[in-house]
């Protein structure tokens, strides 16, 4: 039995169903990230785990106990909100221990928990300040500290970094990761940021329109996306999706695509279960298209592709190169010092071992 069990959970508002038969089993100590665009149902699901939203159908169980209808205060969960939700008239220390005080925890025990968590989060020097005297990052630590002092079964994070600037987001992401590795806590974390999802999680649930599109480890989600939606949502830049047709040449399966001039190009397929004559959508990550010197030496299937460069974008450690494949823009990821320029015909190296095939009708991945 999982530590947190979400079993066939649905949610409707009147006749509008916003969550459809969600099944997720979260093990103790796991860091599950719910990721998806605004309106996909991820925050609604988090609120249902917390008890802030009612459940239309299915069950949610924590440590084997079904919590449908159980008041939030009786679920032994702690939630960190996007807005931090700190009491402005209380000090940092009072904010962090208020929940313990409301649950009747004796003051010596409250003080011990406060000292331990404040030291862990390096905010022990802020305990006498009010929230208005703190920076955004400090308020975030206080909000996390308020959750940690309660030692709950499950921590729930609702887009906790979205109010921070870009650098602070990266710093706090690292701090949350360190915290999880140290405490081995069970966390369910909501974000629309796929970078946060990839870097923080042990598993990811990619959501869209109330459905879980794919549930898996970051590597599974990235390398073998279940659908075109997952492939293009996870990854920056997104996976290239190129219309292609499967053909046999000299007894070997190839994907026939068109280049920037509309000329046919053949890419030898590593996946061997595709029928000749079948139309597919070929998915290739930008880093699998590079210059010959930067190609993966361990790959058994590097295919040369000559094509016209339309745009180059230097990005520090990388150079992103745009071209046209199958009538669509396709992006290659190259080294910073790659010698490539817009308008140039360039010999790209394509790692076809990393390519995946999707069905054009269903947009789901065709399993090898």
């Amino acid at each position: 039995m999982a530590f947190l069990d979400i079993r066939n959970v649905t949610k409707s508002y009147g006749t509008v169903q916003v969550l459809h038969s969600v099944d997720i089993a979260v093990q103790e100590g796991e860091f599950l990230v719910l990721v998806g665009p605004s309106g996909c149902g991820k925050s609604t699901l988090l609120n249902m785990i917390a008890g802030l939203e009612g459940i239309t159908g299915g069950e949610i169980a924590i440590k084997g106990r079904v919590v449908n209808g159980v008041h939030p205060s009786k679920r032994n969960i702690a939630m960190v909100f996007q807005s931090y939700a700190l009491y402005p008239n209380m000090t940092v220390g009072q904010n962090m221990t208020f929940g313990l005080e409301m649950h009747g925890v004796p003051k010596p025990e409250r003080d011990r928990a406060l000292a331990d968590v404040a030291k862990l989060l390096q905010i022990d020097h802020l305990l006498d300040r009010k929230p208005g005297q703190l920076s955004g990052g400090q308020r975030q630590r206080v909000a996390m500290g308020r959750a940690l002092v309660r030692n709950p079964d499950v921590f729930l994070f609702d887009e906790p970094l979205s109010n921070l600037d870009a650098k602070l987001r990266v710093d706090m992401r690292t701090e949350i990761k360190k915290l999880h590795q140290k405490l081995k806590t069970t966390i369910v974390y909501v974000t629309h940021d796929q970078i946060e999802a990839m870097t923080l999680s042990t598993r990811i649930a990619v959501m869209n329109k109330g459905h879980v599109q794919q549930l898996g480890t970051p590597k599974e989600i990235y390398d073998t996306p279940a659908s075109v939606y997952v492939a293009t949502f996870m990854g920056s830049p997104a996976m290239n999706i190129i219309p292609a047709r499967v053909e046999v040449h000299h007894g070997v399966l190839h994907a026939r695509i068109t280049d920037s001039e509309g000329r046919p190009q053949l890419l030898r397929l590593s996946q061997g279960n595709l029928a000749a004559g079948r139309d597919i959508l070929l998915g290739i990550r930008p880093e699998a298209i590079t210059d010959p010197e930067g190609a993966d030496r361990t790959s058994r299937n590097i295919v040369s592709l000559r094509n016209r460069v339309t745009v180059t974008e230097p990005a520090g450690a990388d150079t992103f190169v745009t071209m046209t494949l199958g009538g669509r823009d396709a992006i290659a990821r190259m080294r910073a010092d790659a010698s490539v320029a817009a308008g140039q015909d360039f010999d790209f190296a394509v790692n076809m071992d990393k390519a995946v095939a999707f069905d054009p009708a269903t947009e789901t991945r065709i399993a090898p």
Side-chain angles (χ1 to χ4, degrees):
M1 181 179 291
F3 194 76
L4 168 63
D5 250 336
I6 302 166
R7 298 190 286 256
N8 198 31
V9 164
T10 62
K11 177 65 178 178
S12 298
Y13 296 101
T15 59
V16 180
Q17 191 167 350
V18 294
L19 281 176
H20 306 266
S21 302
V22 175
D23 279 296
I24 302 173
V26 184
Q27 302 304 322
E28 186 170 8
E30 209 174 1
F31 197 129
L32 174 74
V33 173
L34 307 176
V35 65
S38 297
C40 72
K42 57 189 186 298
S43 290
T44 299
L45 180 57
L46 194 79
N47 288 336
M48 290 164 73
I49 298 169
L52 302 176
E53 291 267 9
I55 297 170
T56 305
E59 286 184 343
I60 294 177
I62 300 173
K63 293 176 71 174
R65 172 191 173 216
V66 176
V67 294
N68 294 29
V70 174
H71 192 271
S73 64
K74 306 295 183 185
R75 296 190 180 205
N76 199 26
I77 54 94
M79 195 159 181
V80 179
F81 296 93
Q82 178 180 348
S83 62
Y84 315 138
L86 301 176
Y87 297 108
N89 59 323
M90 292 185 182
T91 64
V92 165
Q94 290 168 338
N95 263 285
M96 288 172 62
T97 58
F98 182 70
L100 296 178
E101 189 176 351
M102 291 299 97
H103 281 81
V105 176
K107 189 175 188 307
E109 194 175 329
R110 297 200 307 265
D111 290 344
R112 272 197 307 274
L114 176 62
D116 289 345
V117 171
K119 184 178 180 182
L120 177 69
L121 294 174
Q122 299 175 14
I123 54 173
D124 37 352
H125 62 293
L126 303 175
L127 295 180
D128 294 326
R129 295 190 192 178
K130 298 284 182 68
Q133 299 170 295
L134 306 179
S135 68
Q138 289 170 334
R139 290 181 198 178
Q140 181 57 265
R141 287 173 186 265
V142 174
M144 289 167 57
R146 182 178 55 192
L148 285 169
V149 294
R150 293 182 51 197
N151 193 27
D153 292 326
V154 181
F155 288 89
L156 307 176
F157 287 79
D158 190 8
E159 305 214 34
L161 307 184
S162 59
N163 289 335
L164 305 180
D165 63 56
K167 183 182 184 306
L168 198 49
R169 281 180 76 122
V170 174
D171 293 343
M172 286 303 300
R173 204 166 65 209
T174 304
E175 290 303 313
I176 292 172
K177 183 91 171 183
K178 284 181 184 174
L179 199 62
H180 179 253
Q181 290 173 344
K182 185 171 185 176
L183 301 177
K184 310 296 185 190
T185 49
T186 305
I187 295 176
V188 180
Y189 186 107
V190 161
T191 183
H192 63 272
D193 186 329
Q194 50 92 16
I195 299 295
E196 273 180 37
M198 294 290 294
T199 54
L200 285 173
S201 66
T202 55
R203 275 199 307 160
I204 300 171
V206 183
M207 299 185 66
N208 188 37
K209 297 179 180 177
H211 295 273
V212 175
Q213 298 282 321
Q214 187 172 359
L215 177 65
T217 65
K219 182 173 175 56
E220 289 167 347
I221 297 286
Y222 192 78
D223 289 346
T224 54
S227 65
V228 170
Y229 173 80
V230 175
T232 53
F233 189 82
M234 301 300 292
S236 181
M239 179 178 272
N240 299 303
I241 305 296
I242 306 160
R245 172 160 286 196
V246 179
E247 295 183 354
V248 177
H249 292 270
H250 306 294
V252 179
L253 288 176
H254 290 74
R256 180 170 63 82
I257 62 173
T258 55
D259 63 14
S260 58
E261 303 299 313
R263 297 169 301 206
Q265 298 275 359
L266 295 174
L267 302 177
R268 187 171 71 253
L269 289 164
S270 296
Q271 188 168 332
N273 66 327
L274 300 170
R278 177 177 188 173
D279 289 329
I280 61 170
L281 294 174
L282 193 64
I284 308 175
R285 293 280 180 199
E287 60 270 23
I289 310 175
T290 184
D291 58 291
E293 290 76 20
D296 183 356
R297 300 300 176 193
T298 64
S299 174
R300 299 163 300 168
N301 190 8
I302 301 292
V303 179
S304 180
L305 170 69
R306 188 165 183 81
N307 203 12
R308 180 73 49 85
V309 174
T310 54
V311 177
T312 62
E313 297 176 84
D318 301 302
T319 297
F320 295 109
V321 177
T322 302
M323 58 182 150
T324 301
L325 289 174
R328 301 181 182 183
D329 281 347
I331 297 176
R333 187 176 198 154
M334 299 190 182
R335 298 163 298 151
D337 59 352
S339 181
V340 59
Q344 170 187 2
D345 285 335
F346 189 82
D347 290 314
F348 294 90
V350 184
N351 185 354
M352 290 299 290
D353 279 345
K354 298 291 186 181
V356 292
F358 300 97
D359 186 305
T362 63
E363 294 197 343
T364 56
R365 183 170 58 87
I366 303 166

